[in-house]
Amino acid sequence: MKQTFLLLSFLTTLFSYSQEKYPEDYFRNPLDIAPVIAGTFGELRSNHFHSGIDIKTQGKQGLKIYAAADGYVSRIKVAQYGFGKAIYITHPNGFTTVYAHLSKYSDKIQKYVKSIQYKKEDYQTGSLFFKKNKFPVKKGEIIAFSGDTGSSGAPHLHYEIRNTKTEEILNPLLFGLKPEDTTAPSIQSLKVYPLNNSSRINLQNKSFILPLKNSSKGKYIADRISAFGMIGFGINVFDRLDKALNKNGVYSLEMLVNGKRFYYHNVETFSFPESKFINLHIDYEHYKKYKRKYQKTYKETANKLSTYKNLVNNGIIDIKNGLSYTVEIIAKDYNGNTSSLKIPIIGKASNSLFTQKIDTTDYKIVAKNFQKFKNKNVTVAFPKNTFYEDFYLDFKVENGIAEIHTPTIPLDKSFTLTFNVSKYSEADKEQLYIANVENSKYPAYQSTRKKDSTFYTTTKTLGKYSLVIDKLPPEIKLLYFKDQQWISELNTIKVKISDNGSGIKNYRATIDGKWILMEYNHKNKILTYNFSDKKLVGSKHIFKIVVSDNVENTNSVSTTFFKKQVN
C-alpha cells in the first residue's frame, strides 16, 4: 500500500512538473481556425532546423492573428527576407511568442511602424524593442493579420514559443496546440556507411542505399547485409499531418541494436546557435549532390547538438565477425504515430586489405589553424575552425573561375575570398562584382567589398566563383496606369522592377518630391504603394521611382498622374 502511495505521489509530481514546465492551457491558438500544420518544429531546412511551426491560413492572406496570452509587444521587425513582418510578445509566465510572415499589424501597431518607416525612409525597420507599457496586449486581442512576407513560400503563419530569459526555442505543440494527426511517418530510404578504412559492408568499403520493403502499415524491412567493423546508418523520412500534403519533419528518431537503444534524438527544444550543426546531422554531401536529406543515426564528433539523448558509442555500431544483429530504427511524430524499420545484419570479415587512397593536394587544411592560400589572382583565407576536420583542399583558377573545392563539405565559419582586379580599368571596376557560378547560367551575386586593386567577399559555401561585369540597369514597368492618366479609382500604385545582373540593391519612390513607402514583394518583383498612407493635395501629381542594382547601375521613371483623393 505504501509503495502504491509513493508511486502515485511520484507520478503526480512528475505530471505537475511537466504541466508547469510546458503549460498546456496557457496559450490559445493564434488563429481562429483549427490548426493545420504545413511545417513542423525542428524539421530539416537549408542550413538550419525549423524554429517554429507553420500554420496554414487556407491559402489566404489577411486572417486575424490573436495574442496567444496576456503580455506586451517586446519587439517588432520588418525585413525584406527572413520573417518578413514579425511581432514578438513577452508573457509573464517566462515565455515569448513569435508571429511571422504577417501582411500587416493591428491599427495602433501599424500606425507606429509606418511612422518609423517614414521617418527612416526605409521599408525595413530593423528590430524595434519596447518596454511593457508601450503595447500591452490581452489574450485573444488582434495583433496582426496573416500574410506571405519575407522568405515565405506561400501564405501561412510562422509561430514560435521561446524561453524569454534564455531564448531557447521550444516546440509549440508542447503547449497544448493540437493539430489533427493520425498518420505515421513515411520511411523513404536507408543508407549505411562504413566509418573507417577497416569497415566492410557487403565486403566493400563504401556506403550503400539499401532496398526497403513495406511489410505492413508502418513496418519496413531492409535486405539483409553483411558487415564488419564500425558502421552507421542514415534515414530519409518525412511525416504528414491530417488535412495537409506537406512533407514535414518527424519528432523523434530512435535506433535499437538487438533491442538495446544506441541512438535517440527528439525536437523538443534547441537553441539558435546550435542550429548550424544540421549540416553534420545530415549526410551533407549526399544532400548537396542529390537534394535528398538523410538524417544520421550516429553523432559526428564535432556535432554539438543538444537534441541527442543517452547515446551508446555515439550511435556507431561495431559489428563483430560471425555474430548476427537486428537494427531497428523507429520514427515518431509528435502525436506518437510510429513507423519502424528493421535491418538484419550478419557479421562477416573480409580477408582483402583496403587502404583508402589519400587525395593529396598542395593545400592541406588543418582545421584548428588559420590558413591562407593564393593561386594566381585569387586568395582564400580560412579562420581557425572554419572546417570540422582536416582534409586536402582542391583549389584551382582557370579561365577566370576560382574553384575552391566542391560545395559538398559543411563549414562552421565563413571564409574570405579575394580577387586581385588591378588589370581592370576604373570604369570596369565600377560594374564588376564577385559571383558564385556553380550554375553558370545564373551567376549569384556575392556581397562584394571593393578596396583599391582587390575585391573580396565572405561566404560559408565552397565551390566556383568568378568576377562578373554588369552593365545593364534595372528594368522598371508601371502597372495598371500610364503617364498623364486619371487614376482616381485606384487605391494603389504598382510598379514591377527587375534586374538580370547583380540584382536589385535599393529603390526610392516619391510623389511630388516626398518619399513614399512602397512594399517590395521579391517573389513577383512588384512594388506597391497604398494611397491611404497620406492625403494628396490637389489633383495633379508627379510619381518618380529610382532603382539601383548592386553595382550602382541606376534607372528611373517619372510620370504624371491625376487623382482626386477623398479620405
Side-chain angles (χ1 to χ4, degrees), residues 21-274:
K21 188 179 179 184
Y22 303 122
E24 294 190 8
D25 57 357
Y26 189 88
F27 295 114
R28 60 153 287 169
N29 181 348
L31 293 163
D32 56 10
I33 56 175
V36 177
I37 306 300
T40 49
F41 180 81
E43 76 181 22
L44 311 176
R45 299 289 176 91
S46 180
N47 298 315
H48 70 285
F49 294 97
H50 191 218
S51 59
I53 57 172
D54 291 339
I55 307 176
K56 284 181 173 285
T57 55
Q58 301 174 332
K60 304 173 187 174
Q61 300 190 50
L63 271 62
K64 295 173 182 176
I65 307 295
Y66 300 94
D70 291 357
Y72 68 96
V73 176
S74 53
R75 182 182 175 192
I76 288 171
K77 186 175 183 180
V78 179
Q80 188 61 59
Y81 298 95
F83 280 179
K85 295 181 181 179
I87 189 167
Y88 300 67
I89 297 179
T90 295
H91 306 280
N93 68 339
F95 297 103
T96 294
T97 50
V98 183
Y99 316 75
H101 304 309
L102 311 171
S103 60
K104 64 178 182 177
Y105 304 101
S106 62
D107 289 346
K108 63 181 179 180
I109 298 174
Q110 182 78 356
K111 183 178 179 181
Y112 178 85
V113 171
K114 281 206 171 183
S115 72
I116 297 297
Q117 291 171 315
Y118 272 92
K119 184 178 179 180
K120 294 178 66 175
E121 295 192 354
D122 194 343
Y123 169 72
Q124 301 189 115
T125 63
S127 289
L128 307 172
F129 295 96
F130 307 99
K131 295 184 177 179
K132 291 182 180 180
N133 59 352
K134 181 68 175 179
F135 294 117
V137 295
K138 290 291 185 183
K139 184 175 185 175
E141 180 180 337
I142 297 171
I143 55 169
F145 299 85
S146 67
D148 187 26
T149 56
S151 302
S152 165
H156 71 275
L157 172 66
H158 175 90
Y159 177 61
E160 291 184 13
I161 298 181
R162 303 180 183 181
N163 181 304
T164 303
K165 186 175 181 179
T166 66
E167 290 207 340
E168 185 180 36
I169 328 156
L170 302 135
N171 194 326
L173 299 186
L174 295 164
F175 295 81
L177 196 66
K178 298 188 183 300
E180 292 183 34
D181 185 7
T182 58
T183 306
S186 177
I187 297 174
Q188 297 294 288
S189 56
L190 178 74
K191 196 169 180 182
V192 57
Y193 306 88
L195 298 182
N196 59 33
N197 283 350
S198 61
S199 300
R200 296 290 185 273
I201 299 166
N202 291 341
L203 301 180
Q204 299 184 63
N205 186 258
K206 67 177 185 178
S207 60
F208 289 91
I209 293 175
L210 301 180
L212 303 182
K213 298 173 186 174
N214 194 342
S215 60
S216 61
K217 188 175 182 181
K219 302 289 184 182
Y220 300 80
I221 188 166
D223 286 353
R224 180 185 297 274
I225 61 170
S226 69
F228 178 76
M230 303 295 186
I231 69 169
F233 288 95
I235 185 169
N236 177 252
V237 57
F238 69 82
D239 185 49
R240 279 197 172 107
L241 283 79
D242 297 359
K243 301 180 181 177
L245 295 177
N246 305 76
K247 293 181 178 180
N248 300 316
V250 296
Y251 178 75
S252 70
L253 278 178
E254 180 180 19
M255 183 177 71
L256 309 178
V257 180
N258 291 341
K260 179 182 177 181
R261 177 190 280 184
F262 261 56
Y263 172 92
Y264 180 79
H265 93 267
N266 67 32
V267 287
E268 175 184 334
T269 180
F270 63 91
S271 65
F272 281 109
E274 64 181 312

Side-chain angles (χ1 to χ4, degrees), residues 356-374:
Q356 187 170 342
K357 183 180 177 182
I358 298 175
D359 183 17
T360 59
T361 72
D362 292 334
Y363 311 101
K364 183 179 180 180
I365 293 293
V366 179
K368 66 180 181 180
N369 295 341
F370 167 82
Q371 288 171 287
K372 191 174 186 178
F373 304 122
K374 184 176 180 181

Side-chain angles (χ1 to χ4, degrees), residues 272-506:
F272 281 109
E274 64 181 312
S275 192
K276 65 182 178 180
F277 292 112
I278 187 174
N279 291 334
L280 292 179
H281 177 71
I282 65 170
D283 181 339
Y284 186 77
E285 181 178 2
H286 190 100
Y287 167 63
K288 295 300 287 186
K289 287 181 177 178
Y290 307 110
K291 301 305 177 187
R292 174 171 282 198
K293 295 187 178 87
Y294 283 89
Q295 298 190 61
K296 298 172 185 174
T297 56
Y298 62 95
K299 177 181 172 294
E300 299 282 2
T301 303
N303 191 342
K304 294 180 173 60
L305 276 174
S306 63
T307 55
Y308 303 117
K309 315 291 181 186
N310 302 319
L311 304 185
V312 174
N313 197 31
N314 281 336
I316 297 169
I317 308 168
D318 186 6
I319 303 294
K320 304 295 185 183
N321 187 43
L323 299 182
S324 296
Y325 300 81
T326 298
V327 174
E328 184 176 16
I329 299 175
I330 302 165
K332 291 184 180 180
D333 61 26
Y334 181 78
N335 217 33
N337 299 304
T338 303
S339 291
S340 64
L341 163 64
K342 289 188 176 181
I343 311 111
I345 304 172
I346 183 71
K348 188 174 183 180
S350 171
N351 293 325
S352 62
L353 295 176
F354 177 85
T355 302
Q356 187 170 342
K357 183 180 177 182
I358 298 175
D359 183 17
T360 59
T361 72
D362 292 334
Y363 311 101
K364 183 179 180 180
I365 293 293
V366 179
K368 66 180 181 180
N369 295 341
F370 167 82
Q371 288 171 287
K372 191 174 186 178
F373 304 122
K374 184 176 180 181
N375 190 335
K376 297 180 181 177
N377 68 319
V378 179
T379 303
V380 288
F382 301 103
K384 293 179 181 179
N385 301 313
T386 296
F387 298 97
Y388 294 111
E389 59 185 13
D390 299 351
F391 73 104
Y392 286 92
L393 180 84
D394 291 322
F395 176 29
K396 61 183 179 181
V397 180
E398 293 179 358
N399 301 319
I401 296 176
E403 189 171 345
I404 301 98
H405 212 75
T406 62
T408 56
I409 295 178
L411 277 64
D412 189 73
K413 297 178 181 178
S414 296
F415 70 95
T416 302
L417 170 64
T418 304
F419 283 82
N420 185 304
V421 295
S422 55
K423 73 175 184 178
Y424 292 90
S425 69
E426 292 303 313
D428 282 347
K429 287 180 188 177
E430 292 293 323
Q431 297 173 314
L432 205 62
Y433 66 95
I434 300 171
N436 181 301
V437 291
E438 279 296 312
N439 185 332
S440 58
K441 290 185 178 180
Y442 301 101
Y445 173 82
Q446 300 289 306
S447 181
T448 305
R449 298 167 183 83
K450 302 182 178 184
K451 185 178 180 181
D452 300 327
S453 62
T454 58
F455 288 5
Y456 66 97
T457 189
T458 56
T459 177
K460 285 183 75 173
T461 304
L462 301 173
K464 297 176 183 177
Y465 292 86
S466 180
L467 292 168
V468 177
I469 197 160
D470 177 8
K471 295 186 176 183
L472 298 176
E475 296 181 0
I476 303 172
K477 182 181 180 182
L478 303 178
L479 301 178
Y480 315 122
F481 77 103
K482 56 187 178 182
D483 190 37
Q484 302 293 326
Q485 184 176 343
W486 278 89
I487 59 171
S488 297
E489 74 284 1
L490 295 182
N491 296 319
T492 60
I493 285 178
K494 290 184 181 291
V495 179
K496 187 167 187 176
I497 62 174
S498 59
D499 186 82
N500 290 325
S502 57
I504 301 294
K505 181 180 180 182
N506 54 46

